[in-house]
Amino acid sequence: MSTESKTAHTLNDLIEIARDGKDFYTEAATKVKDAELSQLFTRIAAVKADIVSALSSTVAATGAKPAEHGTMVGSMQQFYGKVRATLGDTQYGYVAELEESEDRLLKAFRDALTDNDTPPAARAEVTRLLPQVEETHNVMRNRKLAMKS
């Protein structure tokens, strides 16, 4: 596999996972009744959209096609989040599932950084975007912990 195709493959995986989060946050923002939580979800959806855009630009620069969809795991997680929110505390249900979505994206970013086969261009983009991924992860983790108390 060429460096360009490895870069595209690595980043397309991250695009799909980030898109899952963006779509889930966008939907959750319309479902929760708390205005502050809805605004938070909308803000984080915008961060995810920025990540998707940045990664897509890097993939396109390699001559490859950026991923256009999310993942099956993300679709299932979103479905489970809807069911969980319907059956219980809507706000906590969405926060808990979105925090798991954050865990998944953060793990994928860290895996890309620790993979010795990750090409320099992909590693540089992942390193540049990692602080945003960590920030949104921490926001949702802290929100979930605060709601549990």
Side-chain angles (χ1 to χ4, degrees):
M1 186 181 288
S2 72
T3 300
E4 288 81 12
S5 60
K6 176 66 178 163
T7 298
H9 178 75
T10 298
L11 297 182
N12 272 332
D13 287 347
L14 298 177
I15 289 169
E16 290 174 344
I17 297 168
R19 182 172 277 120
D20 287 342
K22 179 190 76 68
D23 293 347
F24 197 6
Y25 275 106
T26 299
E27 179 180 331
T30 67
K31 301 292 183 186
V32 295
K33 296 192 182 359
D34 180 273
E36 186 270 334
L37 197 57
S38 179
Q39 288 173 351
L40 175 65
F41 291 171
T42 299
R43 182 180 67 78
I44 294 177
V47 170
K48 301 298 179 212
D50 290 345
I51 290 170
V52 168
S53 178
L55 294 172
S56 294
S57 294
T58 303
V59 169
T62 70
K65 183 177 179 182
E68 297 177 344
H69 305 286
T71 66
M72 180 61 77
V73 170
S75 296
M76 295 303 296
Q77 190 173 31
Q78 191 171 352
F79 174 75
Y80 179 71
K82 286 189 242 181
V83 170
R84 185 174 176 177
T86 301
L87 298 176
D89 178 353
T90 301
Q91 292 176 179
Y92 181 78
Y94 277 114
V95 168
E97 288 305 312
L98 288 165
E99 193 263 343
E100 286 185 26
S101 172
E102 292 294 336
D103 287 346
R104 187 169 163 243
L105 183 61
L106 182 58
K107 180 183 182 321
F109 264 70
R110 287 181 175 162
D111 287 351
L113 287 177
T114 59
D115 182 349
N116 292 331
D117 292 334
T118 300
R123 186 177 307 280
E125 191 64 3
V126 169
T127 300
R128 186 180 75 76
L129 294 170
L130 183 61
Q132 293 174 344
V133 173
E134 290 174 332
E135 179 193 348
T136 56
H137 173 270
N138 292 342
V139 165
M140 291 310 294
R141 182 195 61 221
N142 293 342
R143 178 61 61 114
K144 179 182 169 184
L145 292 172
M147 291 176 89
K148 272 182 148 177
S149 305

